Amino acid sequence: MADATIPVDLFNPGQVFACLGFMEAADILLGDAEGGFDWSEIGQDRFRLRAAGSENPVEAVLAFLAASTLREAVPEGWTSPDTKARRGPAPDSETETKTERSADVPDRTAVTTFATGTADAMSLPVVFGGGNRPRVTLDHWTDGSSRNPFKLYSGNRSAFGIASAMLAGKHAKNGKLESKGLRQLFEDDRAALVRAPFHVLTPMGGSFNFDPRGAWTGLDAGYSPNDQDHDVLASPVVEFLAAWGLEHARPDEYQTRKVRYAVWRPLLPPALARAVIGGAQGIAQTRGFGFGLAMSGKNKVVCFAQEEPST
């Protein structure tokens, strides 16, 4: 078994969800994954990840994502809508960017079964992987289950466009890199990203809205960064792995735009961690947190959390 620890901000919901994403990824890639949080030193909170083999599990997950290619999953025989529906005439939210609306139509892979029964062009599942590694599907925002999809993004942004920007960066039509993704950050300074993957920030125009460091509203900012072509800094690692972490788990959305989650101290396998993060009691020592979802246009954006009194 190999261990790794990384710094985490327990008051950043996206980082906590991304820790679960690291667990889910390590379990698929390496096997026997376990994870837990250490808050014994004030201001020095850490997440510990352990998995089978001798490879650093954090580095293994990041290397897998950096080398992955991305496709959209569509039902067999599905016909794509007009590209205007993908690009849209104008933004309808403060967090949408001009480059997202001009994204190229992605590669697609047809599947025989489709969770929701119908396909929404802006919310199609994404499939990624490559080489001899397994291919993974992300679709928590449209999994067809009775659970709250916890879909925060809206408007003219597609799940593929967001996921692609988080992994491979955002490119203009002429091929110029406009914003970095996980792949570029991994290539730029692999050691720094492995050491503190949530702390390496980059300008991002749009995201799944999990990282509150990149979230804003016009009222909070005092102006629209989008109108002024100003970038906001956040973590594509947090954004992508938080989406992965929510594949089999959900935080507790107990009131309108009010959400709770918990962190746990001992090492747990993903199956138990999924339950604990949603508030399941009696499994492990936990700390509970609550946060609100602010509105930015039609988008919901995650705010920083506050710790809830222990019960």
Side-chain angles (χ1 to χ4, degrees), residues 11 15 17 54 58 63 69 94 159 200 237 239 268 300-301 307:
F11 295 86
Q15 290 190 24
F17 302 155
S54 59
V58 168
T69 57
E94 292 176 298
V200 180
V237 177
E239 291 290 344
L268 295 177
K300 299 175 183 176
V301 293
E307 187 163 4

Side-chain angles (χ1 to χ4, degrees), residues 84-101 120 122 151-158 162 205-207 209 216-218 224 226-227 294-301:
K84 183 178 179 180
R86 179 177 299 278
R87 297 178 179 177
D92 64 358
S93 70
E94 292 176 298
T95 57
E96 185 185 350
T97 67
K98 301 176 181 65
T99 54
E100 283 180 304
R101 297 196 307 279
D120 175 359
M122 310 311 291
K151 178 178 178 290
L152 307 182
Y153 78 92
S154 185
N156 295 324
R157 298 186 292 155
S158 70
I162 296 170
S207 66
N209 300 341
W216 58 272
T217 65
S224 172
N226 196 55
D227 291 344
M295 296 301 298
S296 179
K298 293 182 179 179
N299 287 268
K300 299 175 183 176
V301 293

